[in-house]
Amino acid sequence: MRKTASTHWWILAAACCCMLLCATPSSAAESDAINETPKIDNVGFMENPPKELVDRFPMCDAFLNVEWIDKEKKIGISHYSLYNEKGEKVVQSIDALIHLDPQFPRYDYSTTEYYPGSSIDSPKQPFNKKNLHNLRSLIKNGKVDRTNIDLRIKGNSRGIEFARLPYESYSLANHQRNICVPYPGNHRMWLAENKYISKIYSNDKLKKIRKTLESAHLMSNKISILEGFDCFLSVDLNFDGKQDYYACNSLLYSVGDDYYELIRGSHAEYGKLKFPPFCRKCEINAFSDCYLTTDGEQFFLNNQCNLTESTKGDE
């Protein structure tokens, strides 16, 4: 039986620290502190992305090609390869649906099988590529009806539901490149997959960063906050020239010469966020995925909280 959205949230929260990403390209000056990793390519990446995209989104190492079926619903189709944790290509090429849902953005809905109707107990059926035209028509004319973590499209007399690809562990680039999925119009990017901090920094560099953060203004238990440090996302959220470190449930950001920790509300107020030392606040949907987007000048958490404005120092 498939999981509900609320069940998925708790599974995601527990696993998110092992799925964190890095969005900062390495510089020549840091070459002695950065692990040399092989460049992993993918059939789904833009071969020659437009200069305006590269210039506007320097945090993206690669852009995933998306053919939009319905731009308003933000549903499209992509074709890409998949890698395992060892960096081995396990799937040469596969077609998948993209849905940039405000709560649960996905790039991995299978187009090879689907659940007919609206019953979660309906058996899966194979999807014939010859019916792709019918799929496009259903998406354009149907209604997105998300009652769980799958993508459900309902028509007047029928509906189909697409589940995620049947792979327990996979990635687009083995977390060695920053992969961005464009929104329709290319005005915003979803940071769908990025580099693990442990895959771009040497052990000596990681030790120095950890030492810096251990002396930061942390509001919760330091051991628990830094426990999954090797999997943190490293990104300069406030563009002050210093790296900030993000996990699904944690954010350590620089203000001047210090680092501060994002404070989340507990239990019912979990989605309410506070940013010391300036008492800035914002709010997100506590039951959606933890994900970052950018317009090239600012970073956003769940497309709701402006992390750049919330973490910048006094002007």
Side-chain angles (χ1 to χ4, degrees):
M1 183 176 293
R2 286 166 285 159
K3 300 177 179 64
T4 62
S6 59
T7 302
H8 170 70
W9 163 250
W10 293 111
I11 293 175
L12 175 71
C16 201
C17 286
C18 292
M19 293 294 293
L20 299 172
L21 321 168
C22 171
T24 303
S26 59
S27 65
E30 292 180 309
S31 60
D32 61 333
I34 300 228
N35 290 323
E36 293 296 331
T37 54
K39 178 181 178 181
I40 290 186
D41 212 339
N42 194 307
V43 296
F45 298 161
M46 295 183 188
E47 290 188 7
N48 297 296
K51 185 177 184 299
E52 55 268 25
L53 280 188
V54 175
D55 292 344
R56 182 172 181 176
F57 301 100
M59 63 286 293
C60 302
D61 291 327
F63 301 89
L64 190 66
N65 276 311
V66 180
E67 178 191 351
W68 293 109
I69 298 174
D70 191 309
K71 294 183 178 180
E72 184 176 348
K73 296 185 178 78
K74 297 181 178 62
I75 299 177
I77 193 167
S78 187
H79 178 82
Y80 51 74
S81 311
L82 292 174
Y83 292 83
N84 63 16
E85 295 176 347
K86 298 179 181 179
E88 301 166 337
K89 186 179 291 186
V90 293
V91 179
Q92 190 69 29
S93 62
I94 192 169
D95 293 317
L97 286 178
I98 310 288
H99 183 208
L100 299 184
D101 180 81
Q103 294 188 47
F104 304 104
R106 296 280 183 267
Y107 62 79
D108 55 357
Y109 285 119
S110 173
T111 60
T112 59
E113 57 186 13
Y114 68 96
Y115 298 89
S118 58
S119 171
I120 64 173
D121 296 320
S122 300
K124 287 192 248 184
Q125 296 185 10
F127 187 84
N128 194 324
K129 287 188 177 181
K130 294 180 180 180
N131 294 327
L132 185 59
H133 174 75
N134 294 334
L135 170 64
R136 294 175 184 271
S137 177
L138 179 62
I139 290 175
K140 288 181 179 180
N141 300 315
K143 178 183 178 181
V144 177
D145 179 29
R146 294 189 60 102
T147 58
N148 50 44
I149 63 174
D150 296 334
L151 173 60
R152 178 182 295 175
I153 307 293
K154 296 184 67 175
N156 292 330
S157 59
R158 64 191 179 106
I160 59 177
E161 188 168 322
F162 293 90
R164 299 176 67 183
L165 292 170
Y167 300 97
E168 292 184 3
S169 179
Y170 60 87
S171 71
L172 296 171
N174 191 31
H175 300 285
Q176 296 179 17
R177 305 183 72 187
N178 307 317
I179 314 305
C180 288
V181 175
Y183 279 71
N186 295 333
H187 300 304
R188 183 174 294 235
M189 294 288 162
W190 168 37
L191 281 71
E193 180 181 323
N194 305 278
K195 304 169 186 172
Y196 285 139
I197 189 173
S198 58
K199 292 198 174 185
I200 63 169
Y201 291 123
S202 68
N203 289 334
D204 288 342
K205 180 69 172 181
L206 289 173
K207 289 178 182 178
K208 291 178 181 179
I209 297 173
R210 187 183 184 97
K211 185 176 181 179
T212 297
L213 296 182
E214 284 176 344
S215 62
H217 298 270
L218 305 183
M219 300 301 173
S220 55
N221 187 292
K222 296 181 181 180
I223 295 177
S224 63
I225 285 294
L226 298 178
E227 192 173 36
F229 173 72
D230 289 356
C231 293
F232 272 29
L233 155 63
S234 173
V235 57
D236 186 3
L237 292 173
N238 47 26
F239 299 94
D240 64 353
K242 297 180 180 180
Q243 294 305 294
D244 308 305
Y245 302 95
Y246 169 77
C248 186
N249 295 311
S250 307
L251 171 60
L252 306 174
Y253 53 93
S254 60
V255 177
D257 295 328
D258 294 325
Y259 274 87
Y260 291 84
E261 179 193 351
L262 163 70
I263 303 174
R264 289 180 178 269
S266 59
H267 304 297
E269 295 188 338
Y270 185 77
K272 295 183 179 180
L273 312 178
K274 297 179 182 179
F275 297 84
F278 305 111
C279 297
R280 298 186 180 116
K281 300 177 182 179
C282 67
E283 191 168 350
I284 61 172
N285 187 330
F287 296 99
S288 51
D289 277 4
C290 301
Y291 67 96
L292 296 181
T293 60
T294 179
D295 60 5
E297 297 180 351
Q298 302 172 103
F299 288 92
F300 303 88
L301 179 60
N302 293 18
N303 264 341
Q304 296 170 314
C305 180
N306 188 325
L307 293 180
T308 300
E309 288 294 322
S310 298
T311 61
K312 69 179 182 179
D314 276 341
E315 298 179 352

